[in-house]
mmCIF file of all heavy atoms in Angstrom:
data_model
loop_
_atom_site.group_PDB
_atom_site.id
_atom_site.type_symbol
_atom_site.label_atom_id
_atom_site.label_comp_id
_atom_site.label_asym_id
_atom_site.label_seq_id
_atom_site.Cartn_x
_atom_site.Cartn_y
_atom_site.Cartn_z
ATOM 1 N N PHE A 656 0.876 -1.182 0.007
ATOM 2 C CA PHE A 656 -0.006 -0.003 0.023
ATOM 3 C C PHE A 656 0.915 1.216 -0.002
ATOM 4 O O PHE A 656 1.536 1.528 1.020
ATOM 5 C CB PHE A 656 -0.906 0.020 1.215
ATOM 6 C CG PHE A 656 -1.788 -1.233 1.327
ATOM 7 C CD1 PHE A 656 -1.322 -2.346 1.990
ATOM 8 C CD2 PHE A 656 -3.030 -1.293 0.737
ATOM 9 C CE1 PHE A 656 -2.092 -3.489 2.063
ATOM 10 C CE2 PHE A 656 -3.801 -2.437 0.808
ATOM 11 C CZ PHE A 656 -3.350 -3.533 1.484
ATOM 12 N N ILE A 657 0.963 1.912 -1.134
ATOM 13 C CA ILE A 657 1.890 3.048 -1.352
ATOM 14 C C ILE A 657 1.074 4.301 -1.466
ATOM 15 O O ILE A 657 0.197 4.410 -2.340
ATOM 16 C CB ILE A 657 2.742 2.856 -2.571
ATOM 17 C CG1 ILE A 657 3.431 1.433 -2.570
ATOM 18 C CG2 ILE A 657 3.824 3.938 -2.701
ATOM 19 C CD1 ILE A 657 4.328 1.212 -1.384
ATOM 20 N N PRO A 658 1.387 5.349 -0.620
ATOM 21 C CA PRO A 658 0.628 6.612 -0.716
ATOM 22 C C PRO A 658 0.879 7.271 -2.067
ATOM 23 O O PRO A 658 2.002 7.263 -2.580
ATOM 24 C CB PRO A 658 1.258 7.451 0.442
ATOM 25 C CG PRO A 658 1.888 6.471 1.357
ATOM 26 C CD PRO A 658 2.349 5.304 0.517
ATOM 27 N N VAL A 659 -0.174 7.809 -2.627
ATOM 28 C CA VAL A 659 -0.072 8.552 -3.916
ATOM 29 C C VAL A 659 -0.406 10.007 -3.777
ATOM 30 O O VAL A 659 0.218 10.857 -4.340
ATOM 31 C CB VAL A 659 -0.958 7.857 -4.981
ATOM 32 C CG1 VAL A 659 -0.344 6.542 -5.417
ATOM 33 C CG2 VAL A 659 -2.382 7.651 -4.485
ATOM 34 N N GLU A 660 -1.423 10.281 -2.977
ATOM 35 C CA GLU A 660 -1.802 11.701 -2.738
ATOM 36 C C GLU A 660 -2.745 11.807 -1.553
ATOM 37 O O GLU A 660 -3.552 10.884 -1.309
ATOM 38 C CB GLU A 660 -2.467 12.341 -3.968
ATOM 39 C CG GLU A 660 -3.685 11.618 -4.471
ATOM 40 C CD GLU A 660 -4.320 12.308 -5.658
ATOM 41 O OE1 GLU A 660 -5.110 13.235 -5.454
ATOM 42 O OE2 GLU A 660 -3.987 11.906 -6.785
ATOM 43 N N ASP A 661 -2.628 12.874 -0.780
ATOM 44 C CA ASP A 661 -3.461 13.048 0.406
ATOM 45 C C ASP A 661 -3.511 11.774 1.294
ATOM 46 O O ASP A 661 -2.504 11.272 1.644
ATOM 47 C CB ASP A 661 -4.884 13.512 -0.037
ATOM 48 C CG ASP A 661 -4.843 14.850 -0.782
ATOM 49 O OD1 ASP A 661 -3.950 15.679 -0.464
ATOM 50 O OD2 ASP A 661 -5.660 15.000 -1.665
ATOM 51 N N ASP A 662 -4.707 11.289 1.484
ATOM 52 C CA ASP A 662 -4.819 10.052 2.297
ATOM 53 C C ASP A 662 -5.080 8.821 1.445
ATOM 54 O O ASP A 662 -5.528 7.776 1.957
ATOM 55 C CB ASP A 662 -5.993 10.220 3.292
ATOM 56 C CG ASP A 662 -5.707 11.298 4.328
ATOM 57 O OD1 ASP A 662 -4.505 11.452 4.696
ATOM 58 O OD2 ASP A 662 -6.640 11.993 4.770
ATOM 59 N N LEU A 663 -4.844 8.950 0.158
ATOM 60 C CA LEU A 663 -5.075 7.801 -0.752
ATOM 61 C C LEU A 663 -3.817 6.958 -0.934
ATOM 62 O O LEU A 663 -2.686 7.483 -0.981
ATOM 63 C CB LEU A 663 -5.525 8.356 -2.092
ATOM 64 C CG LEU A 663 -6.878 9.104 -2.108
ATOM 65 C CD1 LEU A 663 -7.157 9.596 -3.541
ATOM 66 C CD2 LEU A 663 -8.001 8.240 -1.635
ATOM 67 N N CYS A 664 -4.041 5.658 -1.014
ATOM 68 C CA CYS A 664 -2.963 4.710 -1.294
ATOM 69 C C CYS A 664 -3.286 3.873 -2.481
ATOM 70 O O CYS A 664 -4.444 3.613 -2.793
ATOM 71 C CB CYS A 664 -2.727 3.754 -0.086
ATOM 72 S SG CYS A 664 -2.042 4.555 1.351
ATOM 73 N N ARG A 665 -2.247 3.434 -3.157
ATOM 74 C CA ARG A 665 -2.404 2.497 -4.260
ATOM 75 C C ARG A 665 -1.961 1.100 -3.839
ATOM 76 O O ARG A 665 -0.934 0.974 -3.166
ATOM 77 C CB ARG A 665 -1.624 2.911 -5.520
ATOM 78 C CG ARG A 665 -1.814 2.016 -6.697
ATOM 79 C CD ARG A 665 -1.187 2.516 -7.984
ATOM 80 N NE ARG A 665 -1.382 1.609 -9.072
ATOM 81 C CZ ARG A 665 -0.913 1.796 -10.292
ATOM 82 N NH1 ARG A 665 -0.183 2.889 -10.553
ATOM 83 N NH2 ARG A 665 -1.089 0.942 -11.229
ATOM 84 N N LYS A 666 -2.759 0.126 -4.127
ATOM 85 C CA LYS A 666 -2.469 -1.223 -3.724
ATOM 86 C C LYS A 666 -1.791 -2.017 -4.831
ATOM 87 O O LYS A 666 -2.264 -1.999 -6.015
ATOM 88 C CB LYS A 666 -3.737 -1.984 -3.268
ATOM 89 C CG LYS A 666 -3.503 -3.401 -2.789
ATOM 90 C CD LYS A 666 -4.828 -4.104 -2.404
ATOM 91 C CE LYS A 666 -4.592 -5.482 -1.929
ATOM 92 N NZ LYS A 666 -5.866 -6.199 -1.592
ATOM 93 N N TYR A 667 -0.714 -2.711 -4.534
ATOM 94 C CA TYR A 667 -0.004 -3.565 -5.450
ATOM 95 C C TYR A 667 0.042 -5.000 -4.848
ATOM 96 O O TYR A 667 0.172 -5.146 -3.620
ATOM 97 C CB TYR A 667 1.419 -3.118 -5.701
ATOM 98 C CG TYR A 667 1.543 -1.743 -6.249
ATOM 99 C CD1 TYR A 667 1.676 -0.635 -5.378
ATOM 100 C CD2 TYR A 667 1.532 -1.451 -7.597
ATOM 101 C CE1 TYR A 667 1.811 0.680 -5.860
ATOM 102 C CE2 TYR A 667 1.621 -0.205 -8.110
ATOM 103 C CZ TYR A 667 1.779 0.841 -7.268
ATOM 104 O OH TYR A 667 1.889 2.139 -7.740
ATOM 105 N N GLU A 668 -0.098 -6.006 -5.685
ATOM 106 C CA GLU A 668 -0.058 -7.397 -5.192
ATOM 107 C C GLU A 668 0.976 -8.181 -5.984
ATOM 108 O O GLU A 668 1.091 -8.064 -7.200
ATOM 109 C CB GLU A 668 -1.420 -8.013 -5.321
ATOM 110 C CG GLU A 668 -2.477 -7.427 -4.351
ATOM 111 C CD GLU A 668 -3.815 -8.096 -4.470
ATOM 112 O OE1 GLU A 668 -4.433 -8.048 -5.534
ATOM 113 O OE2 GLU A 668 -4.220 -8.801 -3.487
ATOM 114 N N GLU A 669 1.682 -9.058 -5.241
ATOM 115 C CA GLU A 669 2.682 -9.946 -5.886
ATOM 116 C C GLU A 669 2.609 -11.275 -5.186
ATOM 117 O O GLU A 669 2.218 -11.341 -3.977
ATOM 118 C CB GLU A 669 4.085 -9.356 -5.776
ATOM 119 C CG GLU A 669 4.336 -8.086 -6.574
ATOM 120 C CD GLU A 669 5.774 -7.686 -6.557
ATOM 121 O OE1 GLU A 669 6.612 -8.365 -5.952
ATOM 122 O OE2 GLU A 669 6.070 -6.611 -7.142
ATOM 123 N N ILE A 670 3.045 -12.328 -5.868
ATOM 124 C CA ILE A 670 3.164 -13.624 -5.261
ATOM 125 C C ILE A 670 4.593 -14.123 -5.482
ATOM 126 O O ILE A 670 5.128 -14.058 -6.595
ATOM 127 C CB ILE A 670 2.177 -14.651 -5.854
ATOM 128 C CG1 ILE A 670 0.736 -14.229 -5.606
ATOM 129 C CG2 ILE A 670 2.411 -16.066 -5.283
ATOM 130 C CD1 ILE A 670 -0.292 -15.139 -6.183
ATOM 131 N N HIS A 671 5.234 -14.579 -4.390
ATOM 132 C CA HIS A 671 6.629 -15.072 -4.469
ATOM 133 C C HIS A 671 6.589 -16.554 -4.048
ATOM 134 O O HIS A 671 5.866 -16.925 -3.124
ATOM 135 C CB HIS A 671 7.520 -14.312 -3.553
ATOM 136 C CG HIS A 671 7.673 -12.851 -3.904
ATOM 137 N ND1 HIS A 671 8.879 -12.234 -4.030
ATOM 138 C CD2 HIS A 671 6.763 -11.866 -4.163
ATOM 139 C CE1 HIS A 671 8.730 -10.968 -4.345
ATOM 140 N NE2 HIS A 671 7.429 -10.727 -4.404
ATOM 141 N N TYR A 672 7.479 -17.323 -4.690
ATOM 142 C CA TYR A 672 7.609 -18.745 -4.363
ATOM 143 C C TYR A 672 9.026 -19.051 -3.978
ATOM 144 O O TYR A 672 9.996 -18.626 -4.711
ATOM 145 C CB TYR A 672 7.211 -19.628 -5.551
ATOM 146 C CG TYR A 672 5.780 -19.401 -6.031
ATOM 147 C CD1 TYR A 672 5.470 -18.458 -7.015
ATOM 148 C CD2 TYR A 672 4.738 -20.138 -5.507
ATOM 149 C CE1 TYR A 672 4.200 -18.271 -7.460
ATOM 150 C CE2 TYR A 672 3.451 -19.989 -5.954
ATOM 151 C CZ TYR A 672 3.178 -19.041 -6.918
ATOM 152 O OH TYR A 672 1.882 -18.845 -7.345
ATOM 153 N N GLN A 673 9.213 -19.770 -2.895
ATOM 154 C CA GLN A 673 10.545 -20.220 -2.506
ATOM 155 C C GLN A 673 10.499 -21.729 -2.143
ATOM 156 O O GLN A 673 9.458 -22.205 -1.689
ATOM 157 C CB GLN A 673 11.105 -19.432 -1.311
ATOM 158 C CG GLN A 673 11.599 -18.024 -1.697
ATOM 159 C CD GLN A 673 12.391 -17.403 -0.587
ATOM 160 O OE1 GLN A 673 12.291 -17.742 0.609
ATOM 161 N NE2 GLN A 673 13.254 -16.457 -0.951
ATOM 162 N N GLN A 674 11.618 -22.405 -2.380
ATOM 163 C CA GLN A 674 11.687 -23.831 -2.057
ATOM 164 C C GLN A 674 12.691 -24.046 -0.960
ATOM 165 O O GLN A 674 13.780 -23.495 -0.921
ATOM 166 C CB GLN A 674 12.152 -24.593 -3.310
ATOM 167 C CG GLN A 674 12.215 -26.092 -3.149
ATOM 168 C CD GLN A 674 10.850 -26.729 -2.930
ATOM 169 O OE1 GLN A 674 9.864 -26.268 -3.492
ATOM 170 N NE2 GLN A 674 10.807 -27.795 -2.136
ATOM 171 N N ALA A 675 12.298 -24.866 -0.003
ATOM 172 C CA ALA A 675 13.144 -25.271 1.077
ATOM 173 C C ALA A 675 14.011 -26.486 0.629
ATOM 174 O O ALA A 675 13.455 -27.482 0.132
ATOM 175 C CB ALA A 675 12.395 -25.606 2.331
ATOM 176 N N TYR A 676 15.310 -26.412 0.776
ATOM 177 C CA TYR A 676 16.210 -27.521 0.455
ATOM 178 C C TYR A 676 16.981 -27.916 1.694
ATOM 179 O O TYR A 676 17.432 -27.067 2.442
ATOM 180 C CB TYR A 676 17.213 -27.101 -0.626
ATOM 181 C CG TYR A 676 16.591 -26.844 -1.977
ATOM 182 C CD1 TYR A 676 16.343 -25.541 -2.452
ATOM 183 C CD2 TYR A 676 16.249 -27.873 -2.854
ATOM 184 C CE1 TYR A 676 15.784 -25.267 -3.666
ATOM 185 C CE2 TYR A 676 15.705 -27.623 -4.099
ATOM 186 C CZ TYR A 676 15.439 -26.355 -4.498
ATOM 187 O OH TYR A 676 14.870 -26.076 -5.744
ATOM 188 N N THR A 677 17.188 -29.257 1.849
ATOM 189 C CA THR A 677 18.041 -29.689 2.908
ATOM 190 C C THR A 677 19.498 -29.545 2.410
ATOM 191 O O THR A 677 19.774 -29.497 1.186
ATOM 192 C CB THR A 677 17.845 -31.153 3.251
ATOM 193 O OG1 THR A 677 18.173 -31.987 2.117
ATOM 194 C CG2 THR A 677 16.340 -31.390 3.645
ATOM 195 N N LEU A 678 20.455 -29.462 3.344
ATOM 196 C CA LEU A 678 21.854 -29.383 2.956
ATOM 197 C C LEU A 678 22.261 -30.618 2.181
ATOM 198 O O LEU A 678 23.089 -30.526 1.251
ATOM 199 C CB LEU A 678 22.723 -29.217 4.189
ATOM 200 C CG LEU A 678 24.236 -29.079 3.987
ATOM 201 C CD1 LEU A 678 24.514 -27.950 3.016
ATOM 202 C CD2 LEU A 678 24.950 -28.892 5.325
ATOM 203 N N GLU A 679 21.723 -31.744 2.536
ATOM 204 C CA GLU A 679 22.066 -32.995 1.801
ATOM 205 C C GLU A 679 21.631 -32.877 0.360
ATOM 206 O O GLU A 679 22.302 -33.358 -0.550
ATOM 207 C CB GLU A 679 21.406 -34.215 2.467
ATOM 208 C CG GLU A 679 21.964 -34.554 3.849
ATOM 209 C CD GLU A 679 21.538 -33.592 4.959
ATOM 210 O OE1 GLU A 679 20.551 -32.835 4.736
ATOM 211 O OE2 GLU A 679 22.183 -33.586 5.993
ATOM 212 N N GLU A 680 20.419 -32.335 0.112
ATOM 213 C CA GLU A 680 19.957 -32.128 -1.272
ATOM 214 C C GLU A 680 20.887 -31.196 -2.048
ATOM 215 O O GLU A 680 21.170 -31.463 -3.196
ATOM 216 C CB GLU A 680 18.554 -31.620 -1.255
ATOM 217 C CG GLU A 680 17.476 -32.632 -0.798
ATOM 218 C CD GLU A 680 16.126 -32.023 -0.540
ATOM 219 O OE1 GLU A 680 16.013 -30.859 -0.251
ATOM 220 O OE2 GLU A 680 15.116 -32.778 -0.706
ATOM 221 N N ILE A 681 21.254 -30.135 -1.383
ATOM 222 C CA ILE A 681 22.155 -29.136 -2.047
ATOM 223 C C ILE A 681 23.508 -29.799 -2.371
ATOM 224 O O ILE A 681 24.011 -29.620 -3.485
ATOM 225 C CB ILE A 681 22.375 -27.931 -1.130
ATOM 226 C CG1 ILE A 681 21.095 -27.125 -1.011
ATOM 227 C CG2 ILE A 681 23.515 -27.065 -1.649
ATOM 228 C CD1 ILE A 681 20.650 -26.483 -2.273
ATOM 229 N N GLN A 682 24.050 -30.543 -1.466
ATOM 230 C CA GLN A 682 25.342 -31.200 -1.677
ATOM 231 C C GLN A 682 25.232 -32.166 -2.872
ATOM 232 O O GLN A 682 26.134 -32.226 -3.694
ATOM 233 C CB GLN A 682 25.799 -31.945 -0.420
ATOM 234 C CG GLN A 682 27.165 -32.562 -0.525
ATOM 235 C CD GLN A 682 27.651 -33.172 0.773
ATOM 236 O OE1 GLN A 682 26.998 -32.962 1.827
ATOM 237 N NE2 GLN A 682 28.764 -33.864 0.738
ATOM 238 N N THR A 683 24.158 -32.969 -2.906
ATOM 239 C CA THR A 683 24.021 -33.917 -4.000
ATOM 240 C C THR A 683 23.909 -33.168 -5.326
ATOM 241 O O THR A 683 24.553 -33.622 -6.341
ATOM 242 C CB THR A 683 22.730 -34.709 -3.761
ATOM 243 O OG1 THR A 683 22.864 -35.516 -2.546
ATOM 244 C CG2 THR A 683 22.451 -35.687 -4.908
ATOM 245 N N LEU A 684 23.149 -32.099 -5.400
ATOM 246 C CA LEU A 684 22.982 -31.373 -6.654
ATOM 247 C C LEU A 684 24.295 -30.731 -7.095
ATOM 248 O O LEU A 684 24.615 -30.691 -8.290
ATOM 249 C CB LEU A 684 21.885 -30.312 -6.532
ATOM 250 C CG LEU A 684 20.434 -30.854 -6.379
ATOM 251 C CD1 LEU A 684 19.512 -29.695 -6.044
ATOM 252 C CD2 LEU A 684 20.027 -31.518 -7.734
ATOM 253 N N LEU A 685 25.052 -30.208 -6.147
ATOM 254 C CA LEU A 685 26.346 -29.577 -6.483
ATOM 255 C C LEU A 685 27.275 -30.618 -7.080
ATOM 256 O O LEU A 685 27.937 -30.402 -8.140
ATOM 257 C CB LEU A 685 26.995 -28.952 -5.235
ATOM 258 C CG LEU A 685 26.453 -27.661 -4.760
ATOM 259 C CD1 LEU A 685 26.968 -27.333 -3.358
ATOM 260 C CD2 LEU A 685 26.764 -26.530 -5.725
ATOM 261 N N GLU A 686 27.295 -31.777 -6.478
ATOM 262 C CA GLU A 686 28.230 -32.816 -6.978
ATOM 263 C C GLU A 686 27.725 -33.410 -8.314
ATOM 264 O O GLU A 686 28.539 -33.691 -9.168
ATOM 265 C CB GLU A 686 28.361 -33.933 -5.914
ATOM 266 C CG GLU A 686 29.088 -33.463 -4.676
ATOM 267 C CD GLU A 686 29.097 -34.452 -3.539
ATOM 268 O OE1 GLU A 686 28.314 -35.477 -3.620
ATOM 269 O OE2 GLU A 686 29.803 -34.220 -2.547
ATOM 270 N N GLU A 687 26.404 -33.503 -8.485
ATOM 271 C CA GLU A 687 25.872 -33.906 -9.740
ATOM 272 C C GLU A 687 26.197 -32.901 -10.845
ATOM 273 O O GLU A 687 26.377 -33.309 -12.035
ATOM 274 C CB GLU A 687 24.366 -34.122 -9.669
ATOM 275 C CG GLU A 687 23.723 -34.789 -10.861
ATOM 276 C CD GLU A 687 22.258 -35.087 -10.690
ATOM 277 O OE1 GLU A 687 21.786 -35.063 -9.543
ATOM 278 O OE2 GLU A 687 21.593 -35.349 -11.700
ATOM 279 N N ALA A 688 26.254 -31.601 -10.483
ATOM 280 C CA ALA A 688 26.602 -30.602 -11.482
ATOM 281 C C ALA A 688 28.078 -30.516 -11.790
ATOM 282 O O ALA A 688 28.495 -29.781 -12.621
ATOM 283 C CB ALA A 688 26.143 -29.236 -10.907
ATOM 284 N N GLY A 689 28.879 -31.379 -11.118
ATOM 285 C CA GLY A 689 30.282 -31.455 -11.400
ATOM 286 C C GLY A 689 31.154 -30.606 -10.490
ATOM 287 O O GLY A 689 32.337 -30.498 -10.619
ATOM 288 N N MET A 690 30.521 -29.982 -9.453
ATOM 289 C CA MET A 690 31.239 -29.127 -8.531
ATOM 290 C C MET A 690 31.744 -29.922 -7.334
ATOM 291 O O MET A 690 31.262 -31.030 -7.042
ATOM 292 C CB MET A 690 30.339 -27.982 -8.042
ATOM 293 C CG MET A 690 29.832 -27.074 -9.121
ATOM 294 S SD MET A 690 29.303 -25.484 -8.563
ATOM 295 C CE MET A 690 30.893 -24.672 -8.282
ATOM 296 N N GLU A 691 32.715 -29.345 -6.616
ATOM 297 C CA GLU A 691 33.189 -29.895 -5.399
ATOM 298 C C GLU A 691 32.537 -29.185 -4.215
ATOM 299 O O GLU A 691 32.770 -27.984 -4.068
ATOM 300 C CB GLU A 691 34.723 -29.764 -5.319
ATOM 301 C CG GLU A 691 35.319 -30.267 -4.018
ATOM 302 C CD GLU A 691 36.780 -29.914 -3.852
ATOM 303 O OE1 GLU A 691 37.354 -29.319 -4.774
ATOM 304 O OE2 GLU A 691 37.316 -30.192 -2.742
ATOM 305 N N TYR A 692 31.802 -29.892 -3.418
ATOM 306 C CA TYR A 692 31.200 -29.309 -2.257
ATOM 307 C C TYR A 692 32.311 -29.206 -1.186
ATOM 308 O O TYR A 692 33.029 -30.166 -0.908
ATOM 309 C CB TYR A 692 30.072 -30.168 -1.685
ATOM 310 C CG TYR A 692 29.591 -29.830 -0.320
ATOM 311 C CD1 TYR A 692 28.775 -28.778 -0.080
ATOM 312 C CD2 TYR A 692 30.071 -30.545 0.815
ATOM 313 C CE1 TYR A 692 28.336 -28.453 1.204
ATOM 314 C CE2 TYR A 692 29.618 -30.258 2.066
ATOM 315 C CZ TYR A 692 28.791 -29.196 2.287
ATOM 316 O OH TYR A 692 28.413 -28.856 3.551
ATOM 317 N N ILE A 693 32.485 -27.994 -0.594
ATOM 318 C CA ILE A 693 33.563 -27.806 0.355
ATOM 319 C C ILE A 693 33.000 -27.857 1.781
ATOM 320 O O ILE A 693 33.420 -28.682 2.568
ATOM 321 C CB ILE A 693 34.269 -26.438 0.132
ATOM 322 C CG1 ILE A 693 34.964 -26.406 -1.241
ATOM 323 C CG2 ILE A 693 35.314 -26.257 1.240
ATOM 324 C CD1 ILE A 693 35.630 -25.115 -1.568
ATOM 325 N N THR A 694 32.075 -26.969 2.104
ATOM 326 C CA THR A 694 31.581 -26.910 3.460
ATOM 327 C C THR A 694 30.324 -26.023 3.522
ATOM 328 O O THR A 694 29.899 -25.442 2.539
ATOM 329 C CB THR A 694 32.619 -26.344 4.427
ATOM 330 O OG1 THR A 694 32.203 -26.573 5.798
ATOM 331 C CG2 THR A 694 32.874 -24.852 4.209
ATOM 332 N N ALA A 695 29.672 -26.015 4.702
ATOM 333 C CA ALA A 695 28.539 -25.134 4.947
ATOM 334 C C ALA A 695 28.677 -24.550 6.362
ATOM 335 O O ALA A 695 29.247 -25.216 7.263
ATOM 336 C CB ALA A 695 27.215 -25.865 4.802
ATOM 337 N N TYR A 696 28.221 -23.351 6.536
ATOM 338 C CA TYR A 696 28.304 -22.687 7.848
ATOM 339 C C TYR A 696 26.928 -22.185 8.268
ATOM 340 O O TYR A 696 26.114 -21.777 7.461
ATOM 341 C CB TYR A 696 29.247 -21.468 7.739
ATOM 342 C CG TYR A 696 30.634 -21.758 7.328
ATOM 343 C CD1 TYR A 696 31.152 -21.254 6.154
ATOM 344 C CD2 TYR A 696 31.509 -22.458 8.194
ATOM 345 C CE1 TYR A 696 32.472 -21.476 5.736
ATOM 346 C CE2 TYR A 696 32.791 -22.690 7.784
ATOM 347 C CZ TYR A 696 33.276 -22.225 6.610
ATOM 348 O OH TYR A 696 34.606 -22.451 6.214
ATOM 349 N N ASP A 697 26.722 -22.170 9.605
ATOM 350 C CA ASP A 697 25.638 -21.423 10.168
ATOM 351 C C ASP A 697 25.962 -19.972 9.833
ATOM 352 O O ASP A 697 27.049 -19.519 10.057
ATOM 353 C CB ASP A 697 25.606 -21.674 11.699
ATOM 354 C CG ASP A 697 24.464 -20.884 12.352
ATOM 355 O OD1 ASP A 697 23.351 -20.881 11.828
ATOM 356 O OD2 ASP A 697 24.736 -20.221 13.387
ATOM 357 N N ALA A 698 24.962 -19.261 9.268
ATOM 358 C CA ALA A 698 25.219 -17.924 8.702
ATOM 359 C C ALA A 698 25.982 -17.031 9.630
ATOM 360 O O ALA A 698 25.661 -16.936 10.841
ATOM 361 C CB ALA A 698 23.879 -17.317 8.323
ATOM 362 N N PHE A 699 26.970 -16.319 9.073
ATOM 363 C CA PHE A 699 27.774 -15.315 9.726
ATOM 364 C C PHE A 699 28.659 -15.886 10.849
ATOM 365 O O PHE A 699 29.086 -15.105 11.748
ATOM 366 C CB PHE A 699 26.864 -14.167 10.240
ATOM 367 C CG PHE A 699 25.807 -13.814 9.251
ATOM 368 C CD1 PHE A 699 24.452 -13.943 9.528
ATOM 369 C CD2 PHE A 699 26.179 -13.327 7.973
ATOM 370 C CE1 PHE A 699 23.517 -13.621 8.588
ATOM 371 C CE2 PHE A 699 25.224 -13.021 7.011
ATOM 372 C CZ PHE A 699 23.884 -13.175 7.324
#
């Protein structure tokens, strides 16, 4: 809801899709793609 003038707002709608992957799935796909999986870290 984005203000456009005075007390009026314009409404915009979007839909986003995300997929949850396990680390094991990621590792398998990396190796299948020909890459070398090195490691994974808890973020930061």
Side-chain angles (χ1 to χ4, degrees):
F656 303 89
I657 309 300
V659 288
E660 58 179 273
D661 299 328
D662 294 328
L663 297 177
C664 289
R665 182 173 179 182
K666 182 181 179 182
Y667 302 92
E668 293 182 293
E669 294 185 1
I670 298 179
H671 297 231
Y672 301 91
Q673 285 193 335
Q674 181 68 32
Y676 293 100
T677 66
L678 181 56
E679 291 75 17
E680 289 170 331
I681 291 294
Q682 184 173 353
T683 297
L684 290 171
L685 284 168
E686 293 173 349
E687 188 175 346
M690 302 199 75
E691 176 190 356
Y692 168 80
I693 299 177
T694 192
Y696 300 115
D697 180 45
F699 317 118

